[in-house]
Amino acid sequence: MRHLLPALTAALLMAALVALDIARPLGAHPWWSQKTLLIAAPIGLILATLAGLKLRPIPLAITFAIATALAFATAKYGQTQFAASYAEDQLAGKLWYFGWIATGATLTALLTALINYVTNRHRQSNSPNTPL
């Protein structure tokens, strides 16, 4: 039950990003900019929930932040190489597409981890057993 609020909040944030089509101005292809985030959001929620069972919130958030940066870099590299090859480099196209899916999944997991950390801190500060 304690993982439900962060997961729902992260899902709502990702739904807002999909509705605003935030991936398109960041470099995703206009035809599949929303689809990649729709595919990635459930993957990220599952990833964050499973990883949250073993890791503490701060190392988890740092790991997902680094993974998000690497996934975004992969997507941008694929985009530039695909455009430079005049749409003939299939590997670059796949890096671009799957890089955006990985970016969305790790961003969702990062949001879940951060929201989980904030709710845990809030829960601990309001607990009656904390010394003043």
Side-chain angles (χ1 to χ4, degrees):
M1 185 68 179
R2 66 184 174 102
H3 296 290
L4 185 61
L5 179 64
L8 285 175
T9 307
L12 288 174
L13 286 172
M14 287 306 290
L17 293 178
V18 169
L20 295 172
D21 198 11
I22 198 72
R24 182 182 298 189
L26 292 175
H29 195 282
W31 288 349
W32 42 257
S33 59
Q34 291 179 323
K35 183 171 86 170
T36 56
L37 294 181
L38 286 172
I39 292 168
I43 296 169
L45 291 173
I46 293 168
L47 183 66
T49 303
L50 293 176
L53 297 174
K54 292 289 182 185
L55 295 175
R56 300 182 61 71
I58 293 297
L60 187 63
I62 292 170
T63 302
F64 285 137
I66 292 169
T68 302
L70 290 174
F72 185 73
T74 302
K76 289 306 267 186
Y77 174 77
Q79 176 189 11
T80 57
Q81 294 303 309
F82 188 74
S85 72
Y86 296 103
E88 294 204 9
D89 188 352
Q90 290 181 355
L91 177 62
K94 289 177 184 179
L95 285 175
W96 188 16
Y97 181 73
F98 291 114
W100 270 104
I101 292 174
T103 301
T106 54
L107 179 64
T108 305
L110 174 63
L111 290 172
T112 305
L114 290 174
I115 294 166
N116 191 18
Y117 174 72
V118 169
T119 55
N120 283 343
R121 294 284 292 181
H122 180 70
R123 191 178 304 126
Q124 288 174 355
S125 68
N126 288 337
S127 117
N129 296 332
T130 56
L132 295 176

